Each structure stands twice: as C-alpha cells, then as structure tokens.
C-alpha cells in the first residue's frame, strides 16, 4: 500500500476503492518531542478506542471497519480545516490565554481556579496544521474552513454534545475528561462526518480520585512518562533549548516506564469502554 501521510502517531495509507487505511502505531511523543521507543500495545488501544467511540456515539463518522488489531479502514473525506476543541475545565491553553489577557470564549470576568470545572462546556476551535494551533474567533473559523454559519453551528453543537456524552462515560468509570479535539469532513454526499481518531491523544483524562483543582493535574496516560522526563532532567533540557528554537534528541524510554505506560493505556481503555482489550 502507498503511504500517503505520516503523523506523529498514525500512518495513513491509500487502500482499495479509494478508502484510507489508518495504522495506529506505538509511537509516543511528549513536550512536543518524539521518542524512539515504542509503547507496547499503544496503537492497539488507540485503534480500539476509536472503534468504540465511532460505533457507540450518535454521529455519522468515517469508520468502515477495523481490519487488524491496530488498523482501521475509513472513508476519504474533504477535511474541514479546524480542530474542534471542547473544554469542560479551565485548563491547558485556555488557562494560558486567559491568564495572558488574550481573548477566550469564556464569559467569566474573574479568573477561574486552575483545573476547575466550567459552568458549561465551551467550543474553542483552533486552526489545524500550523506549527502551533491557534485559537480562532467564530468569524475567522468560518473563513478559514470555508463553511457557512449554519455549518459552523452544527460543528459547535455536535462537538459539545459528543463531549458531554464522552465525559459522562469517562466519569462513570472514575475519570474526568477535561477536554477533547474532534475533526470533521465532508463526505461524497456533502454531509458533515466525524473523522480522524478519538482516543487518549485527542482527549485528556484525569483520575477522579486524584483530582484537586488549583494546580496542574496529571494526565492519566502520559503522567508516567512526563514524571520520568522531569526526574532525568530532560524536561529542563527541552525548556532550555526551546529558548534557542531547538529540540533535544529524545532518550530511549526504559523498560519499567514503558511497562507502566502500556498498563495505563490499557486500563483507561478497559474501564471507560467496559471492554477487554
Ligand atoms: N476520513 C478522512 N479523510 C481524509 N483525511 C482524513 C480523514 N480523517 C482524518 N484525516 C486527516 O488525516 C491526517 C491524519 O494525520 P495524523 O493525525 O496522523 O497526523 P497530523 O495531523 O499530520 O499530525 P499529528 O500527529 O500532530 O496529529 C490529518 O491531516 C487528518 O485531518
Ligand atoms: Mg492529527
């Protein structure tokens, strides 16, 4: 098969009948750096997570079927150039923007506590495939994506509704889903269809029993890797080199860290979906 695109995690191939084959690899990145060591079974978790959401959420989507433990066949779409982000918590780049006085979709006048739950989930779209994703206003989003107002409203309403459903299921399993990113595209009939992937690389999960607002919350799946990178001083190196616009060479991840990472991906999948891997 012809490789069409290689992302940080997925490899996309041209399949028969013009369809696309997504290969979810075991690659991992952190602090915007890609690591040379694969995480056992990560690709499988990503693939099965995406399959779970595509088959159980009420939204037309691009999945045709899963064809291997880490491969999914999807319909080709004309992608809408937006990352449809929904946030349920005051966290991440939303908090950074608010704290630096930049515009946000928040109506709050006073600064919410870090990681606190928002009154209601907000739609916070960004541009796609720029070096850094940039938040956009409704008007900009409509222009960039070449869509109508009505289509924008559909994206916004659908994204918020899907987030609510996903976050309810996560919370029933003891997790908080603080935010999620969706991508949509137009199918051959001109209908808007949910696309790309839905898994731990698209949403942030916090363990509910460890949740305490007012500080940084550890992301359930990647925390093990981030902690190790801080301990070894690699994170400091990332920050120092970033000042010069450079990136360090990623170290190999030791076996015990890989093992724990792998276990966490599997645990999140099995508890949120109620399925065995
Ligand atoms: N059904 C589809 N038809 C056509 N393109 C799609 C479809 N679903 C997703 N895509 C696009 O395929 C690409 C998948 O790439 P992938 O997510 O692996 O890497 P990336 O977005 O380039 O980088 P990153 O690793 O940061 O996500 C994205 O550009 C995505 O928008
Ligand atoms: Mg992507």
């Amino acid at each position: 098969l012809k490789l069409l695109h290689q992302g940080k995690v997925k490899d996309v191939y041209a399949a028969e009948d013009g369809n696309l084959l997504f290969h979810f690899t075991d690659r991992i990145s952190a602090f915007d750096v890609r690591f040379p060591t694969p995480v056992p079974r990560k690709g499988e978790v990503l693939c099965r997570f995406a399959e779970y959401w595509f088959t159980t959420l009420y939204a037309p989507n691009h999945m045709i079927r899963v064809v291997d433990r880490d491969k999914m066949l999807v319909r080709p779409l004309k992608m809408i150039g937006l990352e449809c982000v929904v946030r349920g918590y005051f966290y991440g780049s939303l908090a950074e923007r608010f704290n630096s006085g930049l515009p946000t979709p928040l109506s709050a006048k006073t600064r919410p506590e870090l990681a606190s739950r928002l009154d209601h989930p907000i739609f916070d779209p960004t541009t796609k495939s720029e070096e850094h994703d940039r938040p956009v206003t409704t008007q900009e989003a409509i222009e960039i994506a070449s869509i109508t107002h009505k289509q924008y409203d559909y994206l916004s309403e659908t994204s918020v509704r899907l987030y609510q459903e996903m976050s309810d299921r996560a919370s029933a399993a003891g997790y908080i889903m603080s935010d999620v990113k969706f991508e949509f595209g137009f199918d051959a009939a001109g209908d808007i269809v949910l696309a790309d992937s839905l898994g731990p690389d698209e949403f942030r999960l916090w363990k509910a029993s460890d949740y305490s607002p007012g500080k940084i919350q550890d992301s359930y799946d990647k925390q093990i890797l981030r902690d190790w990178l801080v301990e070894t001083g690699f994170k400091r190196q990332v920050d120092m080199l970033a000042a010069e616009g450079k990136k360090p060479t990623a170290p190999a991840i030791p076996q015990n860290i890989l093992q724990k990472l792998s276990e966490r991906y599997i645990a999140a999948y099995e508890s949120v979906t109620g399925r065995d891997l």
Side-chain angles (χ1 to χ4, degrees):
L1 297 182
K2 185 173 175 244
L3 180 67
L4 297 177
H5 179 88
Q6 185 161 61
K8 282 201 279 288
V9 173
K10 297 196 286 296
D11 291 339
V12 182
Y13 295 90
E16 275 165 39
D17 305 327
N19 294 324
L20 301 175
L21 184 74
F22 279 9
H23 175 208
F24 296 86
T25 72
D26 290 340
R27 296 195 289 264
I28 192 163
S29 61
F31 303 122
D32 264 337
V33 180
R34 298 172 194 213
F35 287 81
T37 335
V39 177
R41 304 191 79 185
K42 177 173 182 270
E44 202 177 334
V45 167
L46 265 48
C47 185
R48 299 282 295 275
F49 236 135
E51 177 190 33
Y52 167 75
W53 297 117
F54 286 145
T55 49
T56 63
L57 288 173
Y58 296 97
N61 66 71
H62 70 166
M63 184 175 79
I64 300 172
R65 64 180 177 276
V66 169
V67 291
D68 197 352
R69 36 179 286 282
D70 55 2
K71 294 186 187 74
M72 180 184 284
L73 204 57
V74 305
R75 288 188 282 151
L77 304 174
K78 183 174 167 288
M79 293 303 288
I80 295 172
L82 287 178
E83 308 238 308
C84 294
V85 177
V86 181
R87 302 177 181 280
Y89 288 75
F90 184 71
Y91 202 71
S93 68
L94 172 68
E96 284 166 25
R97 274 182 280 141
F98 190 94
N99 295 343
S100 359
L102 295 169
T104 71
L106 277 188
S107 49
K109 295 281 173 290
T110 53
R111 180 197 303 193
E113 191 176 22
L114 186 65
S116 60
R117 191 177 176 177
L118 302 173
D119 296 338
H120 56 87
I122 55 168
F123 184 56
D124 189 23
T126 71
T127 57
K128 210 168 92 69
S129 14
E130 287 182 4
E131 171 65 355
H132 277 292
D133 297 335
R134 181 171 55 86
V136 286
T137 62
T138 303
Q139 203 48 51
E140 276 180 300
I142 286 170
E143 279 161 28
I144 290 169
S146 310
I147 52 175
T148 64
H149 249 284
K150 207 172 147 210
Q151 288 167 335
Y152 178 88
D153 289 342
Y154 174 84
L155 293 179
S156 163
E157 281 155 25
T158 305
S159 299
V160 170
R161 175 176 64 78
L162 293 176
Y163 165 75
Q164 265 158 340
E165 177 63 31
M166 294 168 78
S167 103
D168 284 351
R169 292 191 208 173
S171 91
Y175 294 91
I176 292 169
M177 187 179 287
S178 71
D179 44 56
V180 64
K181 185 256 323 184
F182 302 102
E183 291 186 29
F184 296 86
F186 290 101
D187 69 8
D191 291 324
I192 296 183
V193 170
L194 180 60
D196 207 51
S197 180
L198 276 181
D201 287 339
E202 284 73 33
F203 48 72
R204 209 183 319 233
L205 289 179
W206 299 330
K207 191 103 183 112
S209 54
D210 296 338
Y211 172 66
S212 87
K215 58 182 179 66
I216 304 268
Q217 310 293 307
D218 291 321
S219 147
Y220 182 72
D221 44 81
K222 275 200 186 160
Q223 181 209 344
I224 305 284
L225 178 59
R226 295 215 180 96
D227 286 353
W228 177 72
L229 293 171
V230 170
E231 274 168 38
T232 56
F234 179 76
K235 171 68 168 75
R236 201 155 29 88
Q237 220 183 314
V238 170
D239 294 340
M240 274 158 48
L241 287 174
E244 306 162 33
K246 291 183 196 154
K247 278 182 191 181
T249 310
I253 307 170
Q255 197 55 47
N256 63 322
I257 302 290
L258 287 176
Q259 186 59 37
K260 283 190 200 152
L261 274 171
S262 179
E263 279 163 15
R264 285 208 163 190
Y265 278 107
I266 296 168
Y269 169 78
E270 292 190 332
S271 41
V272 172
T273 66
R275 298 177 175 182
D276 290 333
L277 191 68

